[in-house]
Amino acid sequence: MQFGRYPVRWHIVLLTLWTVVWFAVAERHAAVSWHYLRQGEQLLFGQANGGGLALYANHPELQIGPVSFLTAGLFAPFPADLGEKLADAFMSGLGLYMLVLVGRAAADHYLGTGVNHKRLQQRVLIAGAAFIPMWVEVAVRFAHLDDVLALFFTTLAVRALVRGNATAVGALLALAVDSKPWAVGFLSLLLALPRPARLRAAAWTFGLVAVAWLPFYLTHLETLHAARFTIPNQLASSLRWFGVDDPRTPWWDRPAQLALGMGLGALAVRRGRWPAVVFLAADARIVLDPSVYTYYNASVLLGTLIWDSIGQRRLVPWVSWIALISLYGSALLIPSDAARGFIRLAFCLGSAAYVLLWPQRPPRGDRRRPAGEPVQGALASN
């Protein structure tokens, strides 16, 4: 079926309707954290005292990258309520576009292997149906534009990686970090590039990160203290199962999250399973985080979406649905803090072991391109 000159992708139509349903549910109690973005945007542009390049020195609680504040400025000219709703709609739309990007990345990845594109679309549909509730959680209910942009730029980086565009991979990963610092855990994607291209991409990443963050640090050394900002160690955190009973974030926790995420990602690349990088970094984040906000799970569901669409060939993307049921279902249905923490821990350990260790046998005649090798000829679309 055609809509004008464009073919209708029914899996995208169905996922759009699914998004509208969840948007309508979440909009009744939406934008819980949007005020942080508005505050940071006003501070960055000098509309409030203590802002400008002193923003992070004076407000370490704003653990949000400058790119996110710049983007929030796009909605500042509108009345507050309208700007908030437009932001919600914008972020929801990005989620749908990310599904398209992942589908196209999967089609390019399997180009020339004889993979049935209808089955690939079905896989994106089923995994996307699990992804959407968590995306609406972060985009609408909490309105965390910083997390949204970090995941969006990372998805663009995955698409660029499959297409062999090393410069774009480096620049997009930098924008992810410049939107939300915890996106550093996704930098292991650089290792999936061929060595010469990897160095070029890394130069772009570190250069653009420096451009975004160094002005704050060089002009106000107190900005260094922002990295020590702590939050309560909640009773449902998996940290409790490691015997960490500190009332607030332990000093070693944030470095450990990033090191574990990047280490697992590097191992995945070494084992030829680069589509697991986002999934593993997200696992490392939530298993070691002292907080248990449900919007954290959006990064995990993006990771499972990429893994289920690109990293494995099963028709039913059951990893995505196990993630949704384990992480979101337990938060809604299980009253025990300790039990929820244990489920989160078990899911992270089990899923990491699965994607890293479970034997994978490529089908006979598999001619998939290595990650980072440019697509040749006409591109398949999904």
Side-chain angles (χ1 to χ4, degrees):
M1 181 177 174
Q2 298 283 126
F3 184 78
R5 293 182 301 168
Y6 304 99
V8 174
R9 305 293 188 187
W10 284 109
H11 67 298
I12 299 300
V13 173
L14 292 173
L15 289 169
T16 301
L17 295 175
W18 187 231
T19 301
V20 171
V21 171
W22 281 95
F23 183 94
V25 172
E27 185 62 27
R28 293 178 296 175
H29 305 286
V32 171
S33 301
W34 182 248
H35 63 282
Y36 290 118
L37 276 303
R38 292 187 61 193
Q39 179 191 7
E41 175 264 327
Q42 291 169 356
L43 286 165
L44 182 62
F45 291 106
Q47 300 170 8
N49 293 329
L53 294 178
L55 189 161
Y56 298 108
N58 294 326
H59 297 274
E61 74 279 5
L62 295 177
Q63 301 280 297
I64 298 169
V67 167
S68 299
F69 291 138
L70 289 171
T71 306
L74 298 175
F75 305 97
F78 300 97
D81 289 344
L82 177 59
E84 180 183 298
K85 293 186 183 301
L86 289 174
D88 290 346
F90 168 73
M91 290 185 282
S92 298
L94 286 184
L96 283 170
Y97 183 46
M98 288 161 64
L99 291 170
V100 174
L101 289 171
V102 171
R104 290 177 176 172
D108 288 347
H109 181 68
Y110 287 107
L111 189 65
T113 66
V115 169
N116 185 300
H117 279 209
K118 290 294 183 183
R119 290 173 63 89
L120 189 57
Q121 290 174 356
Q122 291 170 4
R123 212 152 74 206
V124 173
L125 171 63
I126 298 170
F131 168 76
I132 288 298
M134 286 295 87
W135 185 257
V136 170
E137 190 80 358
V138 68
V140 180
R141 184 182 170 202
F142 285 92
H144 267 256
L145 179 62
D146 47 339
D147 292 89
V148 164
L149 290 177
L151 297 176
F152 172 64
F153 287 127
T154 300
T155 305
L156 286 172
V158 168
R159 169 74 164 143
L161 174 62
V162 172
R163 292 173 64 87
N165 190 336
T167 299
V169 172
L172 290 165
L173 287 175
L175 287 172
V177 176
D178 294 342
S179 299
K180 189 74 171 184
W182 60 251
V184 167
F186 300 144
L187 295 188
S188 297
L189 285 170
L190 293 170
L191 299 176
L193 292 163
R195 185 178 296 274
R198 183 190 312 162
L199 296 175
R200 183 172 72 252
W204 275 95
T205 299
F206 294 110
L208 291 177
V209 168
V211 167
W213 290 97
L214 276 183
F216 298 98
Y217 286 93
L218 294 179
T219 57
H220 295 82
L221 293 179
E222 299 89 345
T223 301
L224 293 168
H225 300 315
R228 303 174 189 171
F229 181 75
T230 62
I231 58 177
N233 182 16
Q234 299 179 357
L235 294 176
S237 170
S238 296
L239 282 176
R240 301 283 179 169
W241 284 90
F242 293 114
V244 179
D245 295 321
D246 303 50
R248 299 189 69 85
T249 312
W251 65 268
W252 50 264
D253 186 68
R254 298 307 185 192
Q257 282 179 305
L258 298 179
L260 179 61
M262 294 183 69
L264 291 174
L267 180 58
V269 174
R270 184 175 179 82
R271 291 184 57 79
R273 304 180 184 195
W274 71 263
V277 166
V278 174
F279 187 8
L280 293 168
D283 269 356
R285 180 196 180 197
I286 68 168
V287 79
L288 291 179
D289 205 279
S291 190
V292 293
Y293 289 113
T294 51
Y295 72 83
Y296 288 5
N297 300 331
S299 59
V300 178
L301 268 295
L302 175 62
T304 61
L305 172 68
I306 294 170
W307 173 255
D308 277 332
S309 300
I310 303 175
Q312 58 89 31
R313 298 174 64 106
R314 293 182 179 84
L315 175 60
V316 179
W318 54 270
V319 178
S320 291
W321 280 93
I322 289 177
L324 181 67
I325 294 169
S326 300
L327 301 177
Y328 195 42
S330 64
L332 296 177
L333 301 175
I334 297 180
S336 168
D337 290 328
R340 293 200 304 273
F342 179 77
I343 290 172
R344 185 178 298 101
L345 174 62
F347 171 80
C348 292
L349 295 179
S351 61
Y354 166 71
V355 299
L356 287 172
L357 303 176
W358 193 267
Q360 286 188 314
R361 297 180 180 177
R364 184 179 302 173
D366 192 347
R367 298 184 300 279
R368 286 177 292 181
R369 297 171 301 101
E373 180 181 303
V375 177
Q376 301 294 328
L379 293 178
S381 61
N382 193 52

